[in-house]
């Protein structure tokens, strides 16, 4: 098991100036206030499209996951945020994908596939929303749909400590140790091949089965002993 301190990572890829500033600012914050630990960022393919699929316990999770690797990550955000001055312009420069309140919709799916077809990294949360308890939730089928209709490898990611640090029950972040761990890429070649010719009912089953497999892979990623998942 390795950390960012012991693994030689590839050079930081091209990033918009504001993204680069945020990237290093978050890394400094996580290193000092939260004493973060990052495991196996080298498992992220250095080039080509990648889907990062992670558990979701806090608003801190997206930048935490993105700051742990050396590639620019395409995030998802509610479309209403794009109307906010400055924030909207910044998100457009980062190529953030606008989604509706439910996290899907035709426009959101098209944006995700556009980022992947450009060889980008996209971050998705199979649970759909933040956990209320800190424990993993069941996966929704939407992530399975994205995965099956793409050719990108799927890297399971698990964040630990973010619920204890800044879960739904907290108004301000607390200085708890955070950890992010990247798993081995998953291959859905067989299910993708079956999906091209199967019936509609079976296709829905494949979407859910894919999401469930991803969530199981996330659950298998274990924390370190010094990281508290819960308050």
């Amino acid at each position: 098991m390795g950390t960012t301190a012991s693994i030689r990572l590839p050079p930081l890829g091209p990033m918009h100036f504001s993204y680069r500033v945020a990237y290093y600012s978050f890394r400094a914050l996580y290193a000092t206030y939260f004493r973060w630990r990052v495991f196996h960022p080298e498992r992220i393919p250095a080039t080509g499209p990648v889907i990062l699929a992670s558990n979701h316990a806090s608003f801190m999770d997206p930048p935490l996951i993105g700051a742990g690797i050396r590639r620019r990550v395409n995030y998802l955000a509610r479309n209403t945020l794009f109307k906010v001055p400055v924030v909207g312009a910044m998100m457009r420069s980062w190529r953030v994908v606008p989604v509706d309140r439910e996290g899907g919709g035709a426009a959101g799916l098209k944006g995700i596939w556009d980022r992947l077809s450009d060889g980008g990294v996209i971050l998705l949360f199979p649970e759909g929303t933040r956990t209320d308890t800190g424990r993993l939730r069941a996966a929704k089928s939407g992530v399975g749909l994205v995965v099956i209709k793409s050719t990108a490898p799927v890297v399971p990611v698990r964040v630990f400590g973010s619920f204890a640090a800044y879960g739904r029950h907290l108004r301000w972040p607390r200085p708890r140790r955070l950890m992010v761990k990247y798993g081995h890429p998953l291959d859905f070649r067989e299910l993708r091949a079956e999906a091209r010719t199967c019936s509609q009912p079976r296709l829905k089953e494949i979407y859910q089965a894919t999401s469930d497999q991803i969530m199981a892979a996330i659950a298998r990623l274990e924390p370190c002993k010094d990281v508290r998942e819960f308050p």
Side-chain angles (χ1 to χ4, degrees):
M1 189 162 56
T3 68
T4 50
S6 61
I7 295 294
R8 178 173 294 180
L9 298 175
L12 193 61
M15 293 182 179
H16 187 277
F17 176 75
S18 64
Y19 187 107
R20 187 178 289 268
V21 170
Y23 176 87
Y24 284 112
S25 297
F26 276 116
R27 285 180 65 88
L29 173 65
Y30 292 138
T32 54
Y33 190 72
F34 298 106
R35 299 171 295 121
W36 76 334
R37 301 183 70 182
V38 180
F39 290 85
H40 301 301
E42 77 282 358
R43 290 175 175 170
I44 308 297
T47 59
V50 178
I51 295 172
L52 302 178
S54 175
N55 64 310
H56 197 11
S58 168
F59 282 134
M60 295 191 301
D61 296 339
L64 175 63
I65 295 164
I69 67 174
R70 303 290 285 182
R71 293 187 62 182
R72 181 170 64 86
V73 174
N74 294 280
Y75 301 100
L76 277 59
R78 289 185 182 176
N79 49 19
T80 53
L81 292 176
F82 285 78
K83 300 178 182 178
V84 179
V86 181
V87 173
M90 181 183 68
M91 291 197 300
R92 280 187 286 272
S93 73
W94 291 5
R95 298 199 71 199
V96 173
V97 178
V99 296
D100 59 27
R101 186 175 180 83
E102 298 302 318
L109 291 173
K110 183 181 183 302
I112 292 170
W113 288 320
D114 284 347
R115 305 306 186 271
L116 292 173
S117 65
D118 288 343
V121 179
I122 195 89
L123 173 60
L124 303 175
F125 296 107
E127 298 160 293
T129 187
R130 289 172 295 151
T131 175
D132 293 318
T133 63
R135 292 174 172 78
L136 300 180
R137 298 162 60 105
K140 296 184 176 181
S141 63
V143 168
L145 183 151
V146 172
V147 170
I148 292 300
K149 289 186 176 293
S150 75
T151 59
V154 181
V155 177
V157 184
R158 190 164 179 184
V159 171
F160 298 92
S162 64
F163 183 79
Y166 193 35
R168 287 179 180 268
H169 59 295
L170 296 173
R171 182 169 297 180
W172 300 103
R174 300 188 296 183
R176 300 292 188 267
R177 184 185 287 280
L178 301 178
M179 169 183 160
V180 56
K181 191 171 186 178
Y182 304 91
H184 292 287
L186 305 175
D187 183 4
F188 291 95
R189 192 177 314 167
E190 292 184 5
L191 286 176
R192 283 167 172 159
E194 182 184 354
R196 288 196 288 268
T197 58
C198 71
S199 65
Q200 192 64 30
R202 173 55 183 159
L203 187 59
K204 292 182 179 179
E205 292 177 357
I206 288 175
Y207 293 159
Q208 187 61 58
T210 300
S211 297
D212 291 341
Q213 287 183 36
I214 292 170
M215 205 67 218
I218 293 171
R220 287 194 294 270
L221 297 171
E222 296 292 333
C224 295
K225 294 181 180 179
D226 59 347
V227 178
R228 293 174 56 190
E229 277 196 85
F230 310 107

